Structure formats: C-alpha cells, structure tokens
C-alpha cells in the first residue's frame, strides 16, 4: 500500500499573491461590466439626442414641403435611408388619422410646442426607442400632426461593445503591470527576512536573542517569542550543565570510597565485614546526594520552563506536609510542632515543590538542632497579601559570620560532623526562586536557627 504524499508546507509568498491577485481579477471583471454599462449609457444619450434631432428635422421639412396623403420624397429619403436605419415611423393627423408609417406601434401624442418625447415600444421582433413630436399642420392650423420615429437598440449595444473592446486592452495592460508589480513587490518585500535567516543559518550552539534593528515590525512578535524560547532553553541547558557538574563533584568521593573499601576487603578477608559497613554508609550517602541533586534539578527545570503556577492554599497544605515528618522527627529526638491560621492563605505554587522545600528545612533542623531539641513550623499572612513560612529551632544556631554563605551549594557549617551534603538550603533557595519568594536566614528567639520564606501574593490579588 503506497504511503500518502507528504503535505506541502504553507507558502507565505503564495498566500500573499493569492490574496492580492484573485481580488484583482475579480475587480477586472467588475470593471468590464461597469465600463460596458457606462458605454451603453453614453451611447443611449448620443442616440437619443440624434433621434430627437431627426424628429425635429423631419418636422421642419414637413413645414417646408407640406404633406397630403403621403410624405414627400425628401422626407421619406431622410427617414428610410438614414445611416442608422430608422425605418420604423408614423405620421398621424388628428383629423385625418395615419398619414404614413406604422401607426399601430406608436401611441404617444405629445403636446404642441413640447420637446420630443422619448419612450420604448416593444414590437413582435424588436424593442424600439421612439422619439415623438407634435406640431400644427402646415396646411390646416386647426389640425395637429404627430411625428414618431423609432430605431432598434442594436447600434447602441454595438457602440457600447466597441467602446468596451477599445478599453479592455488598456485595462488589461494596466492590470498586468499591476500584477507584475505585486509579484516583484512581494518577492522583494520578503527579502527583508534574508538577514534574519542568514544569522540563524550561521549559528551552531548560540542561544542569544535574534531580534535586531533589521527585523520587520510585522514579525517582531515571532522573533520575540523565539527569543523567549531560546532564553528558556538556555536556562535549561545551564541547569543541566550545573547538575552534571554537581553530580560529578559530589559522587567522586563516595565512588573513591567504594573502590578503597572493596580493595581493602579483597586484600584482607578479615576486614570484609568492616569494609561492607563502610560501603553501606557510603551507599546511603550517595543515595542522599542523588536525591538532593534530583530535587535541585526538578526545581531548576520548573524555573526554566517559566510556566504559570496554579493557585494553592498553604493553610490547607502545610499541616499535612508537617504531619508526614512528625514520626521521623520523634525518632530523631526532635519535637516538631506547627502553628498556622484557620483561614485560607493562597499563593501560586507547586505542592510537590513546596513539600521538597519544607522537607529540606525540617531535615536541616533534625540534623543541626540535635536530639532533645524542638522545632516549629509557623505559617501566617504578610501585610502585602502574601504568605510567610518560618521554620525555627532552639539548637546551637549558626554564627553570624557564616549567615551570608548559607544557601551556597555544598557549603556546610564547619565543626558539624553529622550526615549532610550542603545541598539542603540550596534546594530551598531554588524552589523559593521558582515561586518568586524571598529566603532569609537568622536566629530564632530561643537562640537557634531560623529560616523565613516570604511568598508574594497571588496574581489575582495584585491585578487592578
């Protein structure tokens, strides 16, 4: 079975030409109709004037030569042998009736002294245009003679067609010139995109913006959208590079430890059990490092995507997040509590990302506060309509000199020998940045460590 033919991509040039050429062809036909109608109207005016003049001329000749039972040879010659072929006529006397012609076709009797009347008469074979004129009889002042002369419309239509045929070549030449101008104009106009195409063609791995001064205003929305895409892609690639560098940096030490203890176990079978214990601890540390690196990577990916955050009720979410960690905190000897409002407290955020943020703050309290201590998670509104999440403990705290370095990757407070990678607060910083929040570090009222995360109000609350 043959595969379907691939669809032809849309062409901007073809679309523009069709949009311009088809209406112009329609306008050409419309112009021909209008030209013919105008030519016919002009021909009718000329012929009507000639017809009226001819009736007046016949009336003048009748006054000169008179009329008895038939027309004089001069008058008959004027009517029957006129170049326009006026062979439909009638001359009617009010007293004597039809003197000559075809009286059955003409029934209009204008008043004496009026200009010739023009009207149409339908005969069995033709539609006639008739001019009628009434005058006193030259040989009987009490009598009235009405002269009616009619002609067919063939010569009128023939003259209109001649005018149309004369105008069509000139109009066609004009249309062809305009079409060529449109064709070359569209082709020349699209060449303004060539510098942009050339810049993109020369690029290999650059993700800098492509919008420049030579970009036409009509495609600025397209180039700016591409610039935004490049910016998101650049952030994603930078996040990937940082992730790979962090993974290589952090996994180097555990892998070296794996090799060392494996070689020690092979060299001395008596040390196998002790080496396996060391390998188990290194495995736990490697797993923790991998999980935290993945958490940072997920936060950076969300930040690079730049997607709109959904509306989230912190007052409904945070208590459940804290409750999940209470058993683990009790096992570590930490009294974990929660204080928060009863009313909804909305922000825009990801529930999973906020769970990671809170988990890292609680992990930090469990590791650095120590057994027998307490930690509290507090949630409350901010004056600007946002929300404030605070995690504080009554542990030894962090020296003021080291506070500015908190949040750096792999930084750990000197003198602490417990498990840790130095990535927990870095993850908190990344997730806070994703939500447009600010993170501050300080001392709690009990002298321990305090982390405050201030979330901005939701967009619906800040819009006018």
């Amino acid at each position: 079975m043959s595969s379907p033919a691939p669809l032809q991509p849309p062409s901007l040039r073809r679309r523009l030409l069709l949009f311009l050429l088809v209406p112009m062809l329609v306008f050409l036909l419309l112009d021909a109709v209008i030209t013919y109608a105008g030519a016919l109207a002009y021909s009718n005016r000329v012929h009507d004037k000639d017809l009226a003049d001819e009736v007046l001329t016949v009336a003048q000749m009748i006054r000169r030569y008179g009329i008895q039972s038939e027309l004089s040879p001069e008058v008959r010659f004027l009517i029957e042998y006129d170049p326009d072929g006026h062979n439909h006529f009638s001359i009617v006397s009010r007293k004597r009736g039809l003197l000559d012609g075809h009286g059955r076709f003409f029934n209009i009797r204008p008043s004496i002294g009026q200009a010739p009347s023009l009207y149409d008469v339908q005969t069995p074979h033709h539609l006639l245009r008739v001019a009628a004129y009434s005058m006193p009889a030259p040989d009987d002042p009490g009598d009235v003679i009405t002269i009616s002369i009619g002609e067919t419309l063939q010569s009128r239509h023939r003259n209109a067609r001649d005018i149309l045929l004369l105008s069509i070549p000139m109009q066609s030449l004009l249309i062809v010139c305009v079409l060529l101008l449109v064709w070359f104009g569209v082709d020349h106009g699209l060449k303004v995109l060539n510098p942009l195409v050339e810049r993109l063609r020369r690029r290999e791995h650059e993700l800098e913006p492509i919008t420049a001064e030579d970009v036409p205003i009509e495609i600025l929305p397209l180039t700016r959208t591409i610039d935004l895409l490049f910016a998101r892609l650049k952030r994603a690639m930078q996040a990937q590079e940082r992730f790979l560098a962090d993974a290589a940096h952090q996994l180097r030490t555990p892998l070296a430890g794996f090799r060392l203890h494996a070689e020690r176990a092979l060299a001395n079978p008596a040390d196998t059990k002790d080496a396996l214990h060391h390998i188990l601890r290194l495995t736990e540390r490697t797993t923790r490092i991998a999980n935290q690196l993945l958490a940072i990577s997920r936060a950076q990916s969300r930040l690079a995507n730049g997607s709109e955050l959904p509306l989230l009720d912190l007052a409904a979410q945070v208590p459940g997040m804290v409750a999940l960690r209470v058993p683990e905190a009790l096992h570590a000897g930490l009294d974990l509590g929660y204080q928060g409002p009863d009313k909804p407290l909305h922000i825009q955020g990801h529930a999973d990302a906020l769970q990671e943020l809170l988990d890292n703050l609680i992990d930090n309290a469990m590791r650095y506060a120590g057994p027998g201590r307490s930690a509290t998670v507090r949630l409350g509104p901010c004056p600007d309509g946002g929300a404030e999440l605070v995690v504080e403990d009554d542990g030894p705290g962090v020296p003021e000199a080291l506070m500015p370095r908190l949040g750096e990757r792999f930084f750990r407070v000197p003198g602490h020998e417990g498990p840790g990678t130095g990535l927990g607060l870095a993850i908190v910083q990344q997730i806070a940045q994703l939500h447009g929040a600010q993170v501050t570090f300080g001392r709690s009222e009990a002298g321990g460590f305090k982390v405050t995360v201030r979330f901005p109000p939701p967009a619906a609350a800040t819009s006018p």
Side-chain angles (χ1 to χ4, degrees), residues 359-420:
D359 284 346
N360 279 279
L361 291 178
I362 294 175
D363 287 341
N364 189 76
M366 287 192 296
R367 290 195 180 96
Y368 293 95
R373 302 286 186 170
S374 63
T376 303
V377 178
R378 288 191 290 105
L379 179 66
C382 291
D384 62 353
E388 182 179 81
L389 179 65
V390 178
V391 179
E392 58 182 355
D393 59 58
D394 57 358
V398 177
E400 291 290 339
L402 298 179
M403 288 286 186
R405 297 200 59 188
L406 297 178
E408 295 181 8
R409 295 185 180 188
F410 312 119
F411 173 75
R412 300 184 66 193
V413 177
H416 185 78
E417 302 298 333

Side-chain angles (χ1 to χ4, degrees), residues 82-342:
D82 189 85
D84 291 334
H86 299 157
N87 54 4
H88 299 277
F89 70 95
S90 74
I91 299 177
V92 179
S93 170
R94 182 184 297 174
K95 294 180 177 180
R96 292 175 288 174
L98 179 64
L99 299 179
D100 204 345
H102 309 82
R104 66 182 183 276
F105 297 143
F106 310 106
N107 52 15
I108 300 297
R109 302 291 183 264
S111 300
I112 298 175
Q114 288 186 348
S117 299
L118 295 165
Y119 60 96
D120 295 330
V121 172
Q122 180 66 55
T123 70
H125 304 289
H126 303 286
L127 177 65
L128 301 180
R129 183 67 169 171
V130 179
Y133 178 74
S134 296
M135 55 177 275
D139 54 353
D140 184 1
D143 192 9
V144 177
I145 295 177
T146 300
I147 305 167
S148 300
I149 301 177
E151 68 175 2
T152 62
L153 305 181
Q154 294 178 356
S155 60
R156 299 168 181 247
H157 289 284
R158 183 174 60 252
N159 292 338
R161 286 195 300 270
D162 291 341
I163 295 175
L164 176 62
L165 293 176
L166 286 174
S167 64
I168 281 181
M170 294 183 291
Q171 292 178 351
S172 300
L173 180 61
L174 178 62
I175 291 295
V176 169
C177 292
V178 172
L179 293 181
L180 291 176
L181 182 62
V182 169
W183 180 281
F184 288 110
V186 170
D187 187 68
H188 179 74
L190 291 177
K191 288 181 180 178
V192 75
L193 301 178
N194 289 345
L196 176 61
V197 175
E198 183 63 21
R199 286 202 302 272
L200 291 174
R201 187 184 65 81
R202 289 198 303 265
R203 289 193 176 192
E204 293 184 0
H205 304 290
E206 297 87 349
L207 294 176
E208 299 303 321
I210 63 173
T211 302
E213 295 180 355
D214 59 351
V215 175
I217 190 173
E218 289 80 8
I219 64 169
L220 275 179
L222 173 63
T223 58
R224 288 170 178 169
T225 303
I226 294 176
D227 289 342
L228 292 176
L229 176 63
F230 280 176
R232 291 196 296 267
L233 183 59
K234 186 176 182 179
R235 290 195 298 267
M237 293 179 65
Q238 290 173 346
Q240 183 182 23
E241 291 173 357
R242 286 195 298 268
F243 174 78
L244 293 176
D246 294 345
H249 178 273
Q250 284 300 300
L251 295 178
R252 185 183 299 115
T253 300
L255 292 176
F258 286 147
R259 181 180 180 85
L260 174 65
H261 291 296
E263 290 176 347
R264 183 163 66 91
L266 292 174
N268 188 359
D271 295 336
T272 300
K273 186 175 181 179
D274 183 62
L276 290 176
H277 281 298
H278 281 87
I279 290 175
L280 180 60
R281 286 195 295 272
L282 288 173
T283 301
E284 293 174 352
R285 180 184 177 187
T286 304
T287 302
R288 185 166 58 253
I289 291 173
N291 289 334
Q292 291 189 312
L293 287 173
L294 289 174
I296 287 183
S297 177
R298 285 194 295 268
Q300 289 174 339
S301 297
R302 295 190 183 106
L303 187 63
N305 288 337
S307 56
E308 185 177 354
L309 302 175
L311 199 64
L312 190 68
D313 183 8
L314 283 182
Q317 295 284 336
V318 173
M321 296 177 181
V322 176
L324 290 175
R325 302 304 306 275
V326 169
E328 188 177 351
L330 292 176
H331 180 74
L334 181 72
D335 182 14
L336 180 63
Y338 170 75
Q339 296 178 2
D342 297 330

